[in-house]
Amino acid sequence: HIPDFENTFKEMGLLIQSIGRMVAKACDEYVLMNCQGYSPGKIESIVAQSMCCKGRLLHYFPTSIKIEDSNTTNGSEDSGDIDFSDWCGWHNDHCSITGLVPAIYIDRNGDEIPCPDPKAGLYIKSRKGKLLQVKIPTNALAFQIGETAQIHTGGILQATPHAVRGCDPKDETCQGVSRESFAIFMEPEFYGEMQIPMGKSIEDTQKKEWQKNLPPTVKTLRSRWKEGMNFGEFSNATFAVFY
């Protein structure tokens, strides 16, 4: 039993959503400057009004699978995308925006500790395929774009491929260490429409030069989303591919 756990969970979720609305507003303003057919306030309205925003506590179990030497080469772009992401494989979130808190690390005694492996944690891929490690400051929140925003903006915003690299189990200081985080997935309701802006095409939504830089486990958007789908149908198609 953790006293006040439920209230703290809800308060943090509402805080992330409130900041997410500000981020969404800034995204809307940027997209509108670059697309005359865009519906003003589209993403902000989803964050503010949807009854389907989801909060998830994320527990990453201590790593036990051997990491091959070829995949521990200081985060090189050429390192293996699949084996590298042993805590969470490469994927895009299919929501509009995801809000994240900084992760904490827990040892086998249940005590919070600094991350014992400087290479462990969250990584993203840029549109050009560059591998980047993301370290969220302890007093900050992070937000990343999901595929629904990519569709609603006709590709002006692009979903962020990301993965979580585990602590090296060969390192004695990493034995029994888990990772804890909390994410809010801000997304439309089940029957929410999934239309691209006027003047944009399906090709604009995911250009082939960006698509070729996706990690191999990230399925292309056009393989799951079809014109006329609602958010629930798009979600089901996504779950069917990944799960």
Side-chain angles (χ1 to χ4, degrees):
H1 175 69
I2 304 177
D4 296 326
F5 180 81
E6 180 179 353
N7 289 337
T8 302
F9 175 87
K10 291 178 178 179
E11 288 173 4
M12 177 57 70
L14 290 172
L15 173 64
I16 296 172
Q17 184 186 22
S18 67
I19 304 301
R21 183 173 178 177
M22 299 179 192
V23 174
K25 182 178 181 180
C27 289
D28 283 329
E29 292 173 352
Y30 172 78
V31 175
L32 191 59
M33 287 190 299
N34 291 275
C35 178
Q36 293 183 348
Y38 184 66
S39 299
K42 179 68 176 180
I43 302 174
E44 183 187 4
S45 68
I46 291 171
V47 174
Q49 299 172 16
S50 175
M51 301 297 290
C52 289
C53 294
K54 298 175 176 65
R56 292 177 182 162
L57 292 166
L58 305 172
H59 172 69
Y60 301 82
F61 289 92
T63 51
S64 58
I65 300 174
K66 182 179 179 181
I67 301 176
E68 298 297 334
D69 292 341
S70 61
N71 291 330
T72 57
T73 55
N74 198 32
S76 166
E77 286 95 336
D78 296 328
S79 64
D81 282 338
I82 298 175
D83 293 338
F84 151 95
S85 55
D86 48 353
W87 252 344
C88 182
W90 285 102
H91 66 287
N92 285 338
D93 292 342
H94 74 283
C95 60
S96 299
I97 295 179
T98 303
L100 296 167
V101 302
I104 62 174
Y105 295 83
I106 306 294
D107 66 15
R108 63 181 58 190
N109 298 317
D111 297 321
E112 183 177 347
I113 61 171
C115 180
D117 183 352
K119 296 179 183 177
L122 179 65
Y123 285 77
I124 65 172
K125 278 284 187 80
S126 72
R127 294 190 192 188
K128 295 182 178 180
K130 185 176 182 180
L131 181 67
L132 301 168
Q133 186 176 14
V134 178
K135 295 187 177 182
I136 307 172
T138 57
N139 61 345
L141 297 174
F143 293 86
Q144 58 192 25
I145 298 297
E147 291 175 325
T148 293
Q150 183 171 334
I151 293 168
H152 281 151
T153 64
I156 293 176
L157 302 181
Q158 292 280 312
T160 310
H162 56 286
V164 183
R165 181 174 188 166
C167 290
D168 186 352
K170 296 179 293 183
D171 185 337
E172 187 174 332
T173 64
C174 295
Q175 297 298 312
V177 174
S178 64
R179 181 179 187 266
E180 320 297 330
S181 189
F182 179 39
I184 294 288
F185 301 94
M186 291 163 270
E187 60 193 33
E189 296 182 12
F190 189 93
Y191 294 104
E193 57 84 12
M194 295 287 290
Q195 298 300 317
I196 58 178
M198 291 182 61
K200 289 291 183 179
S201 66
I202 294 176
E203 178 61 29
D204 291 327
T205 302
Q206 187 168 75
K207 295 185 181 295
K208 291 183 178 179
E209 60 263 35
W210 300 335
Q211 180 179 311
K212 68 182 181 181
N213 290 319
L214 292 174
T217 56
V218 178
K219 306 303 180 184
T220 62
L221 186 58
R222 63 171 53 89
S223 71
R224 292 170 285 118
W225 168 72
K226 309 298 179 186
E227 283 193 288
M229 278 185 167
N230 59 35
F231 178 73
E233 292 166 335
F234 172 58
S235 298
N236 290 338
T238 298
F239 296 147
V241 169
F242 286 103
Y243 301 105

